[in-house]
């Protein structure tokens, strides 16, 4: 057993040096203390110059109050401070310093020089220190108001510490962190950081803002995503202010800039809580940027848990952390939903699509969440349904006759036209019509839509001919009766017949156009390019009427180019029912009110194809008077006896339409004979016929709702009423009828919408087109799972 060691009192210098080494562990700690001193001295501009990561040279120049000349001799002694005189003050201290240790500590481990001038002094004074004591006399010299503290050869006498800090660049990055943090927190104060004789690395202006300083220090990618956090809790005596990045920003290395009572500190519990909130939103292993400034009752904060005061403890920690967590969570959530709103309201002016298109053309990386399946036809869900349907049908009716496509169409349409006026209820109506159709329309598709030279000034005009039943002679009020005759086996034929658009012109323009439509998924249609070019199968009659030009102009003015962009490049996904459809554009899914879209489409069609509309000719003209009676009767409950006899009124109505017949035919392709019969309806869209059950009401409205006195209003209201009539879906609820309607929507209506439709801005707000999902948002959800 050896002798026990002799206990000796350590040399005071050694004690101080050890203490200093604990307080100042690296240059950044020293700088932090010096910056805090400058801020306490109410400086507005702080310039820091560094050599070799601060190990060789660290200078801080401020424009604060300066140090009194008579304090200079003791300023670097331990426990000398101007900020605290009683123990009780410790509890209420609101400045950075409080123990008068910083300068003393630094002077024990480095060569320290102070150059300072107060506003009252005539000149500046310079003093050097060693081990807390003045080294040599205080010299008067030239200098600005404020203080300049120079720290040279840090750790020159603590070699172990110096050896531990071998990388000046690492030390410099710590210095940058400290300066950046204080610059963001004290945005009113200008901060400059530069390496000796080199360019500045950080320079924030005086009276800047937090966001501006974040932009200067961290760049725009963080600054543009900043969301403000504000929280006050009187019971916890807590107030929080700060900025956090939205969920759009994520980075492998996150930043947590935390100030408690204006002191840059770390709080593991707050850091953990913040990370925990973001983990729900951000991709794995990425983090956010968070700057929080907490103000707590100084009584509740203990800063002395760590020698460098880097970590703090505070009362009610759990509750405070929970409050912060909730505040951040609700901010992110509200910004998430407002992002959805944002995209919705961006619909009109959205650049999203352009961004994607641009990125694609730039050849930049496209993330999976932005990828769009290009060929919807190869993968559509309903494709499988149809195959299944077909198989089922083939099995049930092996001798399906798919001979005449048009026959089927006409069969269907003629049953729709099945209006009988002789008061006799026809039981076998559908069968007869079927029969008649077979007899009368032994034509194929190309003949179905044909050019009818009779009666028309323009021989090229397309005429859609109904050679349907004689039964129209003995019409009956079967308007609302639904056609129950649709032979299910014909449905596929009907559909296939409609796919092949008849009379597709060899016109290259037309071919281009249809190519764009058919290959919808691969051809990008520039909405601006396409919306004014409408294609016609016949020679166009250019209208000279100003009223029509004005109405067209108003459509164009109301047109929302972003909606147009969406619709021009839409991919049809599915029909939900007769009134609603789902479409996709880029990475977004939209719900469309089909009826509203169709009405608007037809309204525009009438005005743009004014004087150029085709005809749907009824082989047997329908007596207008009878139709008016039907129309009035269907509104019987609203019938006012003062209006007189229904039949008399019908006669007058009929007279009015007859008197307008020339105009109706020339402009709207609505043909009324001199004898008061309706012989043709306008053809607005190939393969689309209106629901004839609504014809009587339409005719009544033509008389009652159309303003026949003023030209422009007349064309406007007439077009509107016709559009309403044509957009009304057949209320038939039979499964096959519904299928056929849905099929028409996909293959007739939506292609037309793609081609020419100019959606009005009102569609954005009224729910006609609603964005219901976005792939990138879904990705975020999946990433979290
Ligand atoms: P503390 O900050 O805890 O008071 P320091 O050792 O950091 O202790 O500073 C000692 C004193 O020196 C401060 O109380 C302050 O009066 C003065 N002082 C230090 N730096 C500055 C400065 N940049 N401007 C004005 N006074 C300063
Ligand atoms: Mg201090």
């Amino acid at each position: 057993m050896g002798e026990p060691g002799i206990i000796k009192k350590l040399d005071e210098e050694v004690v101080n040096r050890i203490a200093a080494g604990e307080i100042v562990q690296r240059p950044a700690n020293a700088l932090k203390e010096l910056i805090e001193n400058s801020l306490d001295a109410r400086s507005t501009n702080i310039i820091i110059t560094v050599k070799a990561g601060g190990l060789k040279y660290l200078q801080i120049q401020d424009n604060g109050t300066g140090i009194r000349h008579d304090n200079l001799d003791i300023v670097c002694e331990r426990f000398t401070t101007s900020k605290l005189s009683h123990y009780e003050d410790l509890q209420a201290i609101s400045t950075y310093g409080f123990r008068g240790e910083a300068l003393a500590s630094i002077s024990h481990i480095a060569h320290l020089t102070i150059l300072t001038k107060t506003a009252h002094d005539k000149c500046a004074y310079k003093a050097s220190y060693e081990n807390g004591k003045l080294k040599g006399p205080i010299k008067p010299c030239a200098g600005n108001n404020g203080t300049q503290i120079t720290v040279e050869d840090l750790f020159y006498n603590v070699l172990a510490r110096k050896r531990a800090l071998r990388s000046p660049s690492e030390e410099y990055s710590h210095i940058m962190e400290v300066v950046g943090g204080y610059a963001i927190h004290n945005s009113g104060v200008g901060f400059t950081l530069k390496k000796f004789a080199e360019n500045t690395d950080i320079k924030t202006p005086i009276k800047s803002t937090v966001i501006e300083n974040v932009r200067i220090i961290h760049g725009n990618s963080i600054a543009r995503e900043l969301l403000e956090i504000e929280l006050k809790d009187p019971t916890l005596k807590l107030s929080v202010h700060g900025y956090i990045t939205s969920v759009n920003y994520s980075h492998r290395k996150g930043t947590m800039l935390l100030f408690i009572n204006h002191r840059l500190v770390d709080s593991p519990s707050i850091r953990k809580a913040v990370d925990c909130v973001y983990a729900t939103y951000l991709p794995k292993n990425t983090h956010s940027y968070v700057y929080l400034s907490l103000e707590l009752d100084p009584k509740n904060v203990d800063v002395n848990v760590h020698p460098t005061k880097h970590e703090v403890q505070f009362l009610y920690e759990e509750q405070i952390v929970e409050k912060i967590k909730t505040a951040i969570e609700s901010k992110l959530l509200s910004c998430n939903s407002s992002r959805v709103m944002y995209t919705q309201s961006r619909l009109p002016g959205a650049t999203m699509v352009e961004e994607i298109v641009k990125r694609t053309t730039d050849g930049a990386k496209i993330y999976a969440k932005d990828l769009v399946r290009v060929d919807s036809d190869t993968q559509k869900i309903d494709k499988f349904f149809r195959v299944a349907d077909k198989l089922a049908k083939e099995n049930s009716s092996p001798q399906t006759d798919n001979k005449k496509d048009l026959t089927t169409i006409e069969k269907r349409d003629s049953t729709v036209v099945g209006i009988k006026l002789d008061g006799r209820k026809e039981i076998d109506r559908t069968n007869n019509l079927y029969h008649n159709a077979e007899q009368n329309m032994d034509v194929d598709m190309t003949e179905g839509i044909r050019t009818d030279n009779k009666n028309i000034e323009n021989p090229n005009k397309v005429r859609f001919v109904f050679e349907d039943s004689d039964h129209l002679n003995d019409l009956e009020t079967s308007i609302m009766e639904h056609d129950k005759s649709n032979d299910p086996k014909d449905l596929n034929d009907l559909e296939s017949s409609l796919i092949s658009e008849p009379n597709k012109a060899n016109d290259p323009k037309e071919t281009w156009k249809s190519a764009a439509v058919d290959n919808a998924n691969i051809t990008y249609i520039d909405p601006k390019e396409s919306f004014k070019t409408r294609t016609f199968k016949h020679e166009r009659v250019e209208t000279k009427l100003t009223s029509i030009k004005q109405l067209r102009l108003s459509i164009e003015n109301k047109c929302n180019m972003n909606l147009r962009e969406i619709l021009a490049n839409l991919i049809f996904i599915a029909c939900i029912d007769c009134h609603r459809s789902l479409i996709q554009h880029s990475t977004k899914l939209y719900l469309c009110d089909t009826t509203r879209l169709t009405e608007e489409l037809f309204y525009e069609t009438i005005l743009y194809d004014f004087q150029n509309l085709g005809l749907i000719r009824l082989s047997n003209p329908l007596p207008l008077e009878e139709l008016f009676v039907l129309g009035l009767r269907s509104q019987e409950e609203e019938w006012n006896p003062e209006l007189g006899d229904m039949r008399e009124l019908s006669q007058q109505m009929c007279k009015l339409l007859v008197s307008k017949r020339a105009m109706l035919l020339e402009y709207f392709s609505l043909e009324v004979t001199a004898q008061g019969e309706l012989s043709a309806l306008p053809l607005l869209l190939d393969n689309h016929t209106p629901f004839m059950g609504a014809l009587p009401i339409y005719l009544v409205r033509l008389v009652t709702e159309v303003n026949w006195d003023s030209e422009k209003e007349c064309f406007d209201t007439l077009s509107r009423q016709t559009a309403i009539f044509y957009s009304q879906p057949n209320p038939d609820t039979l499964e096959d009828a519904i299928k056929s309607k849905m099929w028409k929507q996909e293959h007739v209506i939506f292609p037309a919408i793609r081609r020419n439709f100019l959606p009005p801005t009102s569609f954005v707000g009224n729910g006609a087109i609603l964005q219901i999902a976005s792939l990138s948002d879904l990705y975020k959800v999946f990433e979290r799972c």
Side-chain angles (χ1 to χ4, degrees):
M1 279 235 286
E3 290 287 307
I6 301 160
I7 299 173
K8 277 190 285 181
K9 198 172 180 200
L10 270 181
D11 198 33
E12 206 190 311
E13 248 179 50
V14 179
V15 174
N16 285 335
R17 206 177 295 161
I18 292 169
E22 274 179 8
I23 294 169
V24 182
Q25 293 173 347
R26 57 184 359 146
N29 301 139
L31 180 63
K32 184 183 162 214
E33 295 292 333
L34 298 173
I35 290 174
E36 289 185 347
N37 281 344
S38 295
L39 291 168
D40 278 343
R42 298 191 295 279
S43 311
T44 56
N45 201 20
I46 298 173
I47 300 163
I48 298 141
T49 314
V50 173
K51 216 191 254 183
L55 289 162
K56 193 116 206 85
Y57 182 92
L58 180 66
Q59 187 189 68
I60 173 164
Q61 161 93 58
D62 68 42
N63 61 351
T65 56
I67 302 169
R68 288 163 194 268
H69 175 240
D70 49 355
N71 282 161
L72 274 176
D73 51 345
I74 56 154
V75 74
C76 285
E77 278 180 31
R78 259 190 110 182
F79 311 122
T80 53
T81 174
S82 60
K83 303 163 191 173
L84 176 80
S85 50
H86 303 289
Y87 178 75
E88 292 72 43
D89 293 349
L90 245 183
Q91 307 230 295
I93 194 129
S94 58
T95 61
Y96 291 100
F98 60 95
R99 289 198 311 203
E101 274 187 305
L103 287 183
S105 302
I106 295 168
S107 77
H108 277 97
I109 48 172
H111 302 301
L112 187 122
T113 310
I114 299 179
L115 174 70
T116 187
K117 180 183 175 298
T118 64
H120 301 293
D121 288 335
K122 292 211 168 67
C123 66
Y125 295 95
K126 190 175 186 176
S128 296
Y129 301 84
E130 198 173 80
N131 295 327
K133 302 259 167 33
L134 250 180
K135 199 175 100 186
I138 302 168
K139 289 181 202 157
C141 59
N144 297 325
N145 283 354
T147 307
Q148 183 193 76
I149 294 181
T150 312
V151 178
E152 283 167 288
D153 296 322
L154 191 65
F155 304 126
Y156 76 98
N157 51 2
V158 197
L159 288 174
R161 171 79 69 204
K162 195 169 185 180
R163 256 184 250 124
L165 309 170
R166 243 181 296 163
S167 156
S169 62
E170 192 187 327
E171 293 314 311
Y172 189 68
S173 71
H174 284 290
I175 287 175
M176 292 234 312
E177 251 171 59
V178 169
V179 177
Y182 276 90
I184 288 165
H185 184 65
N186 301 279
S187 53
V189 178
F191 278 83
T192 305
L193 170 67
K194 57 178 182 183
K195 283 187 196 145
F196 193 82
E198 282 185 35
N199 289 341
T200 51
D201 286 316
I202 293 178
K203 187 168 173 56
T204 61
I206 301 170
K207 290 188 190 148
S208 178
T209 61
V210 172
I211 295 184
E212 197 43 45
N213 284 0
V214 171
R215 182 170 290 119
I216 292 167
I217 292 159
H218 298 291
N220 205 27
S221 60
I222 292 182
R224 68 160 176 248
E225 297 297 342
L226 289 182
L227 308 166
E228 197 170 7
I229 288 273
E230 191 89 64
L231 165 66
K232 278 198 166 54
D233 191 304
T235 26
L236 291 170
K237 296 204 172 107
L238 163 78
S239 101
V240 181
H241 180 248
Y243 288 89
I244 60 170
T245 42
S246 76
V247 293
N248 294 332
Y249 172 82
S250 63
H251 197 269
R252 267 180 295 115
K253 204 170 152 274
T255 303
M256 170 90 205
L257 186 62
L258 177 66
F259 282 80
I260 295 186
N261 291 350
H262 308 287
R263 209 182 294 273
L264 178 61
V265 293
D266 188 19
S267 159
S269 50
I270 295 182
R271 182 187 287 270
K272 224 170 116 193
V274 169
D275 261 352
C276 176
V277 176
Y278 273 98
T280 337
Y281 298 94
L282 303 186
K284 258 189 199 150
N285 299 325
T286 62
H287 305 273
S288 55
Y289 173 91
V290 170
Y291 153 63
L292 289 178
S293 165
L294 272 63
E295 282 189 66
L296 294 164
D297 187 343
K299 284 184 207 137
N300 296 343
V301 187
D302 183 1
V303 287
N304 282 325
V305 288
H306 195 273
T308 62
K309 296 177 252 165
H310 184 59
E311 265 181 40
V312 290
Q313 262 177 6
F314 42 93
L315 274 181
Y316 316 116
E317 186 163 327
E318 237 172 72
Q319 291 97 313
I320 289 174
V321 168
E322 203 47 48
K323 286 255 170 235
I324 295 173
K325 213 173 150 183
T326 323
I328 294 182
E329 204 150 48
S330 61
K331 189 77 198 183
L332 292 181
L333 272 177
S334 72
C335 115
N336 221 7
S337 60
S338 70
R339 270 198 318 158
V340 175
M341 297 303 291
Y342 182 53
T343 20
Q344 276 185 14
S345 66
R346 266 172 67 148
L347 235 63
T351 52
M352 229 68 149
V353 183
E354 280 154 35
E355 276 166 25
I356 290 169
V357 172
K358 207 167 145 259
R359 261 189 283 156
T360 322
T361 47
D362 284 348
K365 187 174 179 188
I366 305 169
Y367 294 97
K369 65 182 170 60
D370 296 327
L371 284 176
V372 188
R373 195 181 68 211
V374 284
D375 191 358
S376 63
D377 273 348
T378 57
Q379 286 291 327
K380 275 244 182 91
I381 296 174
D382 58 354
K383 197 141 192 138
F384 300 101
F385 297 154
R386 228 174 273 167
V387 171
D389 270 5
K390 207 161 192 162
L391 282 175
K393 270 167 210 164
E394 273 167 17
N395 288 342
S396 59
S397 54
Q399 71 281 57
T400 306
D401 178 86
N402 31 4
K403 187 182 81 196
K404 302 282 182 311
D405 288 336
L406 182 70
T407 319
T408 326
I409 305 180
E410 299 290 354
K411 248 185 274 171
R412 294 180 52 76
D413 284 331
S414 54
T415 54
V416 171
V417 190
I419 300 168
K420 304 198 294 164
L421 296 175
D422 68 353
R424 210 166 16 94
K425 194 152 190 140
E426 190 204 56
I427 294 140
D428 199 19
R429 175 172 67 95
T430 51
N431 282 343
N432 282 331
L433 283 172
Y434 187 99
H435 181 70
N436 270 308
E438 292 249 288
Q439 279 184 349
N440 296 337
M441 295 183 297
D442 196 17
V443 281
D444 68 7
M445 196 63 201
T446 44
E447 286 170 277
I449 293 181
R450 66 173 187 225
T451 314
D452 188 344
N453 291 344
K454 274 180 270 162
N455 242 342
I456 319 160
E457 60 288 75
N458 184 350
N460 292 324
K461 236 178 189 176
V462 177
R463 302 280 147 166
F464 197 99
V465 185
F466 272 148
E467 304 276 358
D468 67 347
S469 67
D470 295 330
H471 281 266
L472 287 175
N473 291 339
D474 46 358
L475 289 162
E476 209 250 32
T477 50
S478 55
I479 309 156
M480 292 305 165
E481 237 188 61
H482 306 147
D483 172 19
K484 295 182 176 54
S485 73
N486 298 318
D487 190 343
K489 72 174 186 246
D490 290 325
L491 196 71
N492 285 333
D493 304 338
L494 164 72
E495 292 174 357
S496 54
S497 74
L498 288 176
I499 300 174
S500 53
E501 215 184 326
N503 277 6
K504 193 146 266 175
N506 293 332
D507 177 357
K509 221 164 143 198
E510 180 71 26
T511 327
W512 174 84
K513 197 82 182 169
S514 53
V517 173
D518 296 341
N519 301 328
N521 308 313
I522 33 176
T523 316
Y524 177 79
I525 298 178
D526 182 348
K528 288 184 200 86
E529 284 299 307
S530 65
F531 88 88
K532 278 183 181 169
T533 45
R534 298 173 79 90
T535 44
F536 295 91
K537 298 187 180 73
H538 49 81
E539 214 175 286
R540 193 162 163 73
V541 180
E542 263 318 320
T543 183
K544 291 186 178 68
L545 298 174
T546 337
S547 54
I548 289 297
K549 285 181 184 157
Q550 280 173 354
L551 288 169
R552 286 178 186 169
L553 194 69
S554 126
I555 291 174
E556 279 155 33
N557 287 341
K558 278 187 211 147
C559 171
N560 183 306
M561 282 317 285
N562 270 73
L563 270 187
R564 168 68 192 139
E565 216 275 353
I566 288 166
L567 295 176
N569 294 286
L570 72 87
I571 296 167
F572 187 86
I573 300 293
C575 274
I576 295 175
D577 53 33
C578 296
H579 303 282
R580 290 172 301 168
S581 306
L582 285 175
I583 60 160
Q584 182 192 335
H585 174 265
S586 172
T587 53
K588 305 223 167 60
L589 191 64
Y590 297 89
L591 179 69
C592 297
D593 183 331
T594 326
T595 316
R596 226 182 293 184
L597 250 71
T598 317
E599 181 190 317
E600 217 53 46
L601 169 77
F602 287 143
Y603 171 75
E604 287 177 13
T605 308
I606 298 166
L607 291 174
Y608 277 91
D609 294 358
F610 194 76
Q611 288 184 267
N612 291 282
L613 293 164
L615 281 180
I616 302 174
R617 181 169 295 286
L618 309 174
S619 58
N620 295 298
L622 304 175
L624 273 178
E625 220 180 289
E626 300 295 333
L627 289 171
F628 278 124
V629 171
L630 285 175
L632 291 173
R633 223 178 259 162
S634 68
Q635 297 180 315
E636 212 154 8
E637 56 269 30
E638 292 162 34
W639 182 254
N640 186 350
E642 280 173 30
L643 291 171
D645 182 48
M646 219 180 254
R647 193 149 284 278
E648 250 172 49
L649 191 68
S650 300
Q651 277 166 6
Q652 283 169 20
M653 287 172 143
C654 178
K655 250 188 221 153
L656 177 86
L657 281 199
V658 171
S659 71
K660 307 283 180 196
R661 56 186 283 269
M663 181 274 271
L664 288 173
L665 178 65
E666 189 185 347
Y667 295 158
F668 292 94
S669 299
L670 188 78
E671 197 175 57
V672 173
T673 62
Q675 295 75 42
E677 286 170 330
L678 179 72
S679 57
L681 284 167
L683 173 69
L684 302 188
L685 184 61
D686 283 347
N687 297 321
H688 178 84
T689 50
F691 165 55
M692 294 300 273
L695 176 68
I697 292 176
Y698 162 63
L699 292 171
V700 170
R701 292 217 178 119
L702 276 193
V703 178
T704 56
E705 306 290 321
V706 172
N707 180 347
W708 293 97
D709 302 327
S710 123
E711 181 186 299
K712 188 177 158 192
E713 272 193 47
C714 170
F715 292 154
D716 184 28
T717 44
L718 216 152
S719 306
R720 179 58 66 188
Q721 288 307 324
T722 312
I724 292 172
F725 170 44
Y726 274 67
S727 61
Q728 265 191 46
N730 186 333
D732 203 331
T733 49
L734 271 181
E735 199 195 329
D736 288 329
I738 291 174
K739 266 192 195 167
S740 143
K741 276 182 275 182
M742 289 181 173
W743 190 92
K744 275 195 179 182
Q745 278 186 24
E746 177 175 355
H747 297 278
V748 180
I749 303 289
F750 275 94
I753 288 175
R754 270 185 67 100
R755 277 194 300 268
N756 297 320
F757 184 46
L758 305 183
T761 305
S762 62
F763 273 16
V764 179
N766 67 7
I769 299 167
L770 259 184
Q771 185 195 313
I772 54 171
S774 141
L775 190 61
S776 56
D777 287 349
L778 291 178
Y779 257 75
K780 282 196 181 113
V781 175
F782 289 129
E783 267 168 8
R784 270 174 240 150
C785 300

